Amino acid sequence: MSDHDLDHVVDELPALLGGELNRRTTGMVTAHLRDCDDCRHALVDLAAASAALHSAARFAPETGTVGAAGSLPDPAGLLSMITGEPPPDPAPRPVDLPPMELSTSDPFAAEPSSAPPSVPSGVAPGLGSPEPPALPVGAGEHRPNARSGGRGRRLRPRLVLSAAAAVIVLAVGAAVVVSSRGSEPAARELALRPVESTVGSGTATLRGDSLRIRADGLPKLDGGRFYQVWLVQGNDRLFAVGLLPPDGRATYQLTRPILDDYSRVEISVEPNDGDPGYSGHSVLRAVYS
Amino acid sequence: MNPAGLQAIGARLAAGEAGALEECYRRLGPMVLGYLRRYVPVADAEDVLQKVFIELWRHTDRYDPNRPLQAWVFDIARKRAIDHLRTRPSGVVSLDGVRELAGEDGDETADRYAWAADLHQALDLLPEPQSQVLRLAYFDHLTQAEIAARLSIPLGTVKTRTARGMQRLAALLEDRGDDR
């Protein structure tokens, strides 16, 4: 039997274990298994994996997706309670944040001051933008973005992502969520829809200069991977908004010119590989202009 | 993320590294909470969850780094759930639930959750296309044909990704078993 045939039969084994093959194909595959040691060995491996998957799905099904088990108490708060010391606070909390200093030439400076509290320049714009402090971003100020390459290429916004930054962002996640005060600019809520395959849904809400993300049902990521929010224009321009915390909820402070410069919001899966570029693996998308 | 995964977190925990506790909480917290909610009233589950991790932190000296971290965590969770149910007013909780939790079935369920933690960790180590089809198949209960339609890819690609992913998964799970 050729390697191709062997592969083909191995590829049918998950469906065999799952009862998805019809009677005829089941007969063909099982007949092959009787004569092929390699495929029988493969079947043992696949049966072991199938057993683990079935067991997890049956006994711990609620652990498959982000937030499915409910929101956890804040781990930083837990740590504080356990150790009796204040939680590490890598970034100021909202009440400590200085007001955003808008340039007088900024066309949006005269807008109602009900915009969400800003974050300091070392953190802005937005949750999870671990922009080096030397690159402050204020309202009306464009941040350098990736300019080249197609969608499949790794675009490189000037952004340094690291594991430490991811942790910082998680801790800050709740801190950047803003509350409404006074008269607010009108909100525009867009549906976040799965890209290609993926499961999950949510909303992206634009209100003034802020972008609020509510994502549900995204698969839990581990192994250092994380979800990242981007603004995208066409196929070659990206703006790294920030990391999306595990609960799928965050509000990011941006600027009107930046928002106007892009046309859609995307959430991607990014590996923690030290490469700040876009992975090309978007899972949710909303088009706003 | 440290490639050694939960065992590395366990080793750091045993060394008293506070950051490891938070990492452990992030990794296993949702699953432990899901486990606790099987037995403990939902309103109480988060309180018990915190007690579990407080105990974890206070007794890191009891942790054997050669033992799977998740097994230790779920063992503590089971005991704290039993304590919690025993101290509640009678009649509030199901006696069957208490019996299950305290008996062999409870031990079995805790072990199932620990196994599930193993599995999810292994799934996260797979290439995304492979873990994706496996999650859709086993946790969203889609057939291969449905997955192909959902992902807009050929059925043959789904079959190949699934088979490769399961073979790799089996190897990862076997490695973890060998480590114990």
Side-chain angles (χ1 to χ4, degrees), chain A residues 11-12 20 45-46 49-50 55 57 59 62-63 69 71 73 78 81-82 196-197 199 222 224-225 281, chain B residues 25 27 31 34 37-38 46 50 57 112-113 120 124 128 132 138 144 150-151 159-160 164 167 170:
Chain A
D11 285 355
E12 294 293 352
E20 292 187 46
D45 285 343
L46 267 63
S50 178
S55 174
F59 289 89
E62 68 275 13
T63 58
S71 58
L78 172 79
M81 185 174 66
I82 291 172
E196 295 177 355
S197 64
V199 293
D222 226 320
R225 293 177 303 150
H281 180 203
Chain B
Y25 184 81
R27 297 289 299 274
M31 205 172 284
R37 284 177 173 166
R38 291 175 71 101
E46 288 192 0
Q50 293 207 344
W57 179 245
R112 293 274 188 176
Y113 271 81
H120 283 292
D124 290 336
E128 178 67 20
Q132 182 183 43
Y138 286 88
Q144 293 188 329
R150 173 82 70 91
L151 302 184
K159 288 176 179 289
T160 300
R164 299 295 178 275
Q167 286 179 303

Side-chain angles (χ1 to χ4, degrees), chain B residues 16-123:
Chain B
E17 188 182 321
L21 178 68
E22 186 169 338
E23 206 166 336
C24 178
Y25 184 81
R26 290 186 192 284
R27 297 289 299 274
L28 294 177
M31 205 172 284
V32 174
L33 185 59
Y35 170 74
L36 292 171
R37 284 177 173 166
R38 291 175 71 101
Y39 303 107
V40 176
V42 171
D44 301 340
E46 288 192 0
D47 288 342
V48 180
L49 176 72
Q50 293 207 344
K51 287 176 184 172
V52 170
F53 281 87
I54 287 170
E55 179 169 339
L56 203 71
W57 179 245
R58 289 183 177 162
H59 298 294
T60 52
D61 56 320
R62 297 179 187 170
Y63 173 60
D64 175 4
N66 295 316
R67 186 185 176 197
L69 174 64
Q70 56 273 36
W72 186 51
V73 172
F74 280 102
D75 189 39
I76 293 172
R78 179 184 174 224
K79 289 172 180 169
R80 293 294 73 77
I82 292 171
D83 289 347
H84 183 80
L85 295 180
R86 281 177 175 162
T87 56
R88 284 182 66 85
S90 60
V92 175
V93 297
S94 154
L95 283 178
D96 288 343
V98 176
R99 285 195 196 99
E100 181 193 334
L101 184 59
E104 288 185 5
D105 286 350
D107 197 24
E108 167 74 12
T109 304
D111 186 59
R112 293 274 188 176
Y113 271 81
W115 191 15
D118 267 355
L119 175 88
H120 283 292
Q121 189 184 10
L123 272 176

Side-chain angles (χ1 to χ4, degrees), chain A residues 214-246:
Chain A
R214 295 287 182 271
D216 295 302
L218 291 176
K220 186 175 72 173
L221 298 178
D222 226 320
R225 293 177 303 150
F226 52 90
Y227 288 108
Q228 168 84 18
V229 180
W230 305 86
L231 298 180
V232 184
Q233 174 62 44
N235 290 325
D236 60 356
R237 295 190 59 224
L238 287 165
F239 181 91
V241 174
L243 284 92
L244 185 66

